Amino acid sequence: MFNQLRSQFRQKVSQLLPTKPDKLSGNSETVKKNTQLSKNLALDKENNYSKKRYIADYLLNLGQTALTRIKQGASIRHHPRFWLFFAMGLGASSGAIALGYGIYQIESSITESVEEVFTYSRPETLTIKSADGAILEEVGPVTHEKLKIWQLPEPVIQAFIASEDHRFKNHHGVDIQGIIRASFSNLKAGEVVEGGSTITQQLARIVFLNQERSLNRKLKEMRLAQKIEANLTKEQILEGYLNLVYLGSGAYGVADAAWVYFSKPVDQLTIAEAATLAGIVPAPSLYSPLENKKAATQRRDLVLQRMAQEKFITVAQAEKAIATPIALTPKEPKRFQRQAPYFTDYIQLQLPKYVSQDILKQGGITVETSLNSKWQKAAEKAIETAVTRYGRWQGFKQAALTAVDPRNGQIKVMVGGNDYENYQYNRVTQAQRQPGSTFKPFVYATAIAAGLSPNQTFKNSPYVVDGYRPENYGDKYTGVPVSIRNALASSLNVVAVQVLVKVGWNPIIKVAQQMGIKSELKPTYSLALGAWEVNLLELTSAYGTFANQGIHQPAHGINRILDRQGNVLYQARFKPKEALDRDTNAIMTWMMRGVVTSGTGTPAQLGNRPVAGKTGTSDEARDLWFVGYIPQLTTGVWLGNDNNKPTWGASTTAAIIWKEFMVEAVKGTPIESFSPVPSLTGRKPTIKAEPIKPKKRSFVVVTRSDNSQSSRTRQGQSSSRERRRSNRRRRRRNTAAAPSRTRTTTAPTRTRKTVNPPASPPPATAVAPQPQSQPVAKPLPAPILQKKPQAAPAPSVAPPAPPVERKSD
């Protein structure tokens, strides 16, 4: 057969070769007749033939040698063990190649550092902390309480070792004996009754891998376990594992599980309780005592038996523990407990501004906020008091409070309501409400900056401008000129509108925005009386500019954002901006101190500590405000109803709630004075006024004892609005829905009886020209040119009836 193959091979090669030139053929005659070039071509052809012939001979010899070797090898194929040895050799070499390639692939795929065991957090987990380090909220599968190895009692450690990896201290990450033992046990039982993964492998799977069931994942797990063992101590491995292992019912780590199942710290667990926790690991949903107490008991008893086998406990101890029934005292995981929920919701809404969604999904994010936990509790108590003690008598069901450090803009307190469990609506950041007279400081600040003196006077008389008629509270007027300072203290609406006309609404809007107002403000006469809606946070932040000597610091709640390794992803760095010159700001603070010392904000006094601020009330007392400040802290309070129903309360109640919070907040805070008032003469304006030129404006001259109602009667201007007021007063007298109370004004005293507010809210406020059909302010004190009667002090304990006397704001 081989001879036949050789002949065929030679024949094929010969066919490929050209025929050798014949020197005696007719071609030679042609060559003789050709030129020298023809001779050269013939010589080249001869040389090519020689080369090809040499190659052919080489190939023939090579082929013959190869066939000979094959024939020799084939002669031993009849050996009885040839194919066996051949297969074994081929299998061994192939296996070695495959194993080497597999190891290379696994090694190249492991890019993680084993140091991540110390910092690992599960995906999409988030921890929000207060300024003092207290945990406000944990999002996702977070281990709430992580313990050091020395904080873990010995029986707990022993229970997990006995249950999961009794040769833990002897292997180097992978326990071959354990794998073989587990395999035989599972085959014998016909089901998976024992796992072969060591504690180190389980830790590697938690930190670096997923729950995929594949050979490649298992090999990677084993290699990672070996690396962990090579770099960490056994104690470090145990610490990481016992803090991360999932133990069912939402508990991650033994400390959290001890609380969830037994309502106790881990160092108070009994041997039986420790064994119960260790028994949960193989199947948390099956062996959780809250889900399946019978299965959990059987698993616990098995763990106790293994502890006795490993000499961790005596047989007597095991028998005693087995005889003990599982006594559960279940509690919600601590990671579900929240503090300052309105604030943490606000923080989560702010996060995407500073960190991408991809980073947030990676998990392990820690947000360090500016919140003061102690002040937050005081604020929550004050808001609860506002609603339960005063709201029932004054017709409001909601309240909100926030406080900002004016020196850096940090939000220190945020209480968006008093019933978060049922209503997550944040009235600090989401509720847009009319600020009423709390907007007036921006009007007067613009006027002072434009060069007006706080002593400059304006008429305190009924005033109509381009058809818009502002009203003082109760439609009461003194009929004499009043200074800007006194007009602010007594919250006179007609003066605020006159100042707006003199300065211009565009400069006022610009100043308000520079100071921190972000909501839309439109150029209307009602702007001076707070007709355009704002939220409590921006209003408080803007007042913080007054507290910070005219320098605005944007309000913010996030100080830093860290990843799970502790790297800083975001650091708050806001640039301060001057919104008011220092002299103007000092004058405005001096004027608002007058509001607290002798005006509408007297309930906000803090003893000998300087306080400045302003009350405010919107149309029909739908919103009750007080925003006040000391040099170190600015706080705003709002009271009202989400459905915009009118209240029959007073802004002085907001000042009382402000004081209740501030009394707690200022404890331990040194008393600081505001900047001194500069000279009021010779001042140069820092902004340019843009006076409005109304088409028509007029005053009604009245005496100090007159009121506008009598004036209008004399002038035949009685309106349907007044008739509605009379009807309301008549209904109140007839219904007597609540205890009567006396309201003091400059007019003769009269008794009013409160009634329930209308069942449905009024239509939305119109843009122009008079969005507030009812006066913004409240009863005017005694004539401002005379000595003001001493106001009754605010009660320290709430009366069972309507609280303080009602004042103008």
Side-chain angles (χ1 to χ4, degrees), residues 70-102:
I70 293 173
K71 183 177 180 181
Q72 291 174 353
S75 64
I76 66 171
R77 74 184 186 279
H78 300 293
H79 194 282
R81 295 186 179 180
F82 168 75
W83 295 112
L84 174 63
F85 291 147
F86 179 78
M88 290 176 62
L90 182 62
S93 59
S94 299
I97 294 172
L99 180 61
Y101 180 75

Side-chain angles (χ1 to χ4, degrees), residues 223-372:
R223 182 62 186 130
L224 281 167
Q226 291 175 336
K227 286 194 171 188
I228 291 173
E229 290 272 354
N231 289 274
L232 305 182
T233 66
K234 292 288 185 179
E235 289 75 16
Q236 290 173 321
I237 294 170
L238 274 174
E239 179 182 308
Y241 174 75
L242 294 175
N243 280 325
L244 293 173
V245 63
Y246 180 59
L247 296 172
S249 300
Y252 292 85
V254 293
D256 288 4
W259 173 259
V260 168
Y261 296 114
F262 305 111
S263 300
K264 59 174 65 174
V266 70
D267 59 356
Q268 295 181 13
L269 292 175
T270 65
I271 292 174
E273 290 168 342
T276 301
L277 298 185
I280 296 173
V281 176
S285 60
L286 175 62
Y287 296 130
S288 166
L290 294 178
E291 303 295 333
N292 192 334
K293 199 169 186 178
K294 181 179 179 180
T297 302
Q298 293 174 348
R299 182 68 188 174
R300 178 204 67 176
D301 295 347
L302 178 60
V303 174
L304 290 168
Q305 293 171 6
R306 290 181 179 176
M307 291 179 72
Q309 292 173 2
E310 297 299 324
K311 309 299 181 184
F312 291 143
I313 58 175
T314 65
V315 175
Q317 286 177 309
E319 291 176 349
K320 181 180 178 180
I322 290 173
T324 304
I326 297 178
L328 298 174
T329 311
K331 288 288 181 66
E332 184 182 60
K334 289 186 177 180
R335 65 189 178 92
F336 293 154
Q337 298 175 2
R338 298 180 65 181
Q339 298 184 50
Y342 291 103
F343 178 72
T344 56
D345 281 355
Y346 166 75
I347 291 299
Q348 291 186 62
L349 291 174
Q350 296 295 306
L351 276 177
K353 296 181 180 179
Y354 311 115
V355 179
S356 70
Q357 288 292 343
D358 291 339
I359 293 178
L360 292 174
K361 288 180 180 179
Q362 291 176 11
I365 301 298
T366 298
V367 183
E368 297 177 350
T369 72
S370 57
L371 194 84
N372 185 305

Side-chain angles (χ1 to χ4, degrees), residues 407 609-610 630-632 669-674:
R407 299 164 297 187
R609 185 184 295 271
I630 61 176
Q632 303 99 316
T669 303
I671 296 177
E672 290 187 15
S673 299
F674 293 114

